[in-house]
Amino acid sequence: MTPPPVTSDFYELEALLDDQDRETLYRVRAFMDEQVTPVINDFWTRGQFPHELVPGLAELGVAGAQYSGHGSPGRSSLFDGMVAMEFSRGDPSIATFMGVHGGLAMGTMHLCASEEQKERWLPAMARMELIGAFGLTEPEHGSDVARGLQTTARRDGDEWVLDGQKKWIGNGSFADLVIIWARDVETDRVLGFVVEKGTPGFSAVDLEDKIALRVVQNAHITLDGVRVPEANRLQGANSFRDTAQVLRATRVSVAWSAVGCSRGAYEHALRYAEGRQQFGQPITGFQLVQDLVFRMLGNITASATLCARASQLQDCGRLKDEHASMAKAYSTMRMRETVGWARELMGGNGILLENHVGRYVADAEAIYSYEGTREVNSLIVGRAVTGESALV
């Protein structure tokens, strides 16, 4: 398959993939260019999710790509990261939707569910017949949720009773399965539960008036005496360390998504520059424009190569928290610069949604913060380097 044109893989990192993975990557790119880009601004403006695109996303066969068995593709972490990048290059909201479903929700199932639970849910999730969500963050606890988790779980015979609230839960208002992390009132352990759609006592309201990732439906979830059978308690989720295991894997994917957001803004800005004339000549011939192109491409290339190495470490079982945190913090910092430079290159036209770059500028703010803020990730790296923890 001939790849759609792309100008931002300056160090040819796609060559690290085998032929099959590259072909799949190109199919993802084509889907985003042909099916998503023409319609996404309208959904972004209205703050709605394009459910009609889900069957096409399912046909790509990349949900939960890095995991094996139970219908999941079993591809490399490097491939999974590049796919996240490609989704985000087309639209960061679609990348986030796929990351929540295929990374956080399916990843939790693969890492923490029993074999019976995996057989019960994962094949349908891989086909995207069941959509998943991941409920960890709470209204009063984000970065400190490991210590401050307030949602509770109380054993009552063969059931568990869940009470509490979750906030910023992507896909939460329409997901078929929501993984809820709660603290056992008896043992104080953090446990994971699968709450199925329609369970009494579970309610989800979408957060409105966001300035970033407007296509993503982030829910405020209330759990009021929600009864979950023991069969829905994830058998391998018995402490926050199990939660952190999931986050470590997905944090690298978010770093890749930041690279994709940068690439999308850069490519739209470059195409604009190639067709824009000022002072009687194309602006691509101006020194200051070429300097912006260099700055953007340098950020993209440095971040992508860093992410590629992190994914390689993940594939060989050597990825540590500090590796994932370095990739996420660095790539999102450079992303913020890059989308700003893309907007700068386009002048006033950069704030018009029809030129796309403004959407990446806004969406970058959410990617910068979720899956670990820059501040917390920097302290995780600092602890690894110095041997001293500066985390409160």
Side-chain angles (χ1 to χ4, degrees):
M1 178 180 179
T2 302
V6 64
T7 60
S8 50
D9 185 18
F10 199 63
Y11 275 15
E12 300 181 6
L13 294 178
E14 290 172 12
L16 297 174
L17 301 176
D18 62 27
D19 291 343
Q20 179 187 10
D21 284 351
R22 276 199 303 276
E23 182 176 348
T24 304
L25 189 73
Y26 298 155
R27 287 197 296 111
V28 172
R29 182 178 303 161
F31 178 83
M32 297 302 293
D33 288 347
E34 297 167 10
Q35 303 298 319
V36 176
T37 299
V39 302
I40 200 64
N41 282 342
D42 178 58
F43 286 97
W44 195 93
T45 300
R46 291 186 285 121
Q48 296 182 0
F49 182 79
H51 293 279
E52 54 268 41
L53 293 176
V54 172
L57 290 167
E59 288 178 5
L60 296 172
V62 295
Q66 65 177 297
Y67 298 103
S68 299
H70 308 285
S72 296
R75 314 287 265 273
S76 69
S77 299
L78 180 63
F79 169 79
D80 182 71
M82 287 193 176
V83 166
M85 176 181 66
E86 207 59 63
F87 278 130
S88 194
R89 171 186 166 270
D91 179 64
S93 289
I94 297 297
T96 301
F97 163 73
M98 292 297 293
V100 170
H101 171 70
L104 289 170
M106 290 183 67
T108 301
M109 292 284 193
H110 274 286
L111 294 171
C112 300
S114 67
E115 285 301 309
E116 183 278 330
Q117 290 171 329
K118 292 176 183 178
E119 280 296 328
R120 180 180 170 190
W121 288 309
L122 275 172
M125 294 180 78
R127 296 190 298 269
M128 298 185 70
E129 295 167 2
L130 293 177
I131 300 300
F134 182 90
L136 176 62
T137 303
E138 298 181 345
E140 301 300 326
H141 296 283
S143 296
D144 70 341
V145 73
R147 299 176 182 176
L149 194 70
Q150 291 184 339
T151 300
T152 60
R154 175 176 55 85
R155 185 71 181 261
D156 184 17
D158 291 333
E159 295 182 320
W160 292 83
V161 182
L162 307 182
D163 289 286
Q165 294 184 328
K166 300 292 182 180
K167 190 175 182 181
W168 297 110
I169 310 307
N171 308 349
S173 60
F174 60 81
D176 301 288
L177 308 169
V178 181
I179 294 168
I180 295 293
W181 298 92
R183 191 176 301 279
D184 184 347
V185 296
E186 183 177 348
T187 66
D188 206 39
R189 293 184 305 163
V190 173
L191 306 178
F193 300 87
V194 177
V195 179
E196 298 180 84
K197 191 174 185 178
T199 301
F202 177 95
S203 62
V205 178
D206 286 329
L207 300 173
E208 297 182 352
D209 299 327
K210 296 186 301 175
I211 68 163
L213 295 181
R214 290 178 51 78
V215 173
V216 175
Q217 303 303 292
N218 292 102
H220 186 125
I221 291 173
T222 299
L223 302 132
D224 184 8
V226 173
R227 288 188 169 269
V228 177
E230 167 66 11
N232 282 30
R233 180 179 68 82
L234 294 171
Q235 300 300 301
N238 297 301
S239 74
F240 194 81
R241 284 191 296 272
D242 299 311
T243 317
Q245 182 184 11
V246 178
L247 296 174
R248 183 187 310 121
T250 55
R251 191 161 288 153
V252 176
S253 294
V254 175
W256 276 111
S257 185
V259 178
C261 181
S262 297
R263 286 179 65 165
Y266 163 80
E267 290 177 24
H268 282 293
L270 184 58
R271 280 193 292 271
Y272 172 88
E274 290 169 345
R276 177 73 167 174
Q277 291 204 357
Q278 291 286 280
F279 304 102
Q281 68 181 91
I283 65 172
T284 48
F286 294 164
Q287 291 180 352
L288 292 178
V289 169
Q290 291 191 8
D291 180 66
L292 287 174
V293 169
F294 159 75
R295 289 169 183 255
M296 289 187 285
L297 189 56
N299 274 353
I300 291 166
T301 304
S303 298
T305 50
L306 185 153
C307 288
R309 181 54 184 159
S311 290
Q312 290 171 337
L313 290 172
Q314 192 169 357
D315 281 325
C316 65
R318 293 168 56 193
L319 182 76
K320 298 178 181 178
D321 287 338
E322 55 265 31
H323 297 142
S325 290
M326 174 67 83
K328 200 277 177 175
Y330 182 86
S331 297
T332 53
M333 289 167 60
R334 300 288 80 81
M335 168 193 64
R336 253 182 156 190
E337 289 180 341
T338 302
V339 298
W341 286 330
R343 208 290 305 161
E344 181 178 331
L345 185 151
M346 299 176 74
N349 286 330
I351 68 171
L352 293 174
L353 198 57
E354 67 189 55
N355 293 320
H356 293 284
V357 167
R359 173 164 49 87
Y360 293 91
V361 172
D363 288 350
E365 289 305 300
I367 300 172
Y368 182 72
S369 293
Y370 73 59
E371 276 274 13
T373 63
R374 182 199 62 79
E375 293 85 354
V376 168
N377 280 314
S378 70
L379 295 181
I380 292 172
V381 175
R383 180 178 60 195
V385 172
T386 67
E388 299 286 344
S389 178
L391 290 162
V392 176

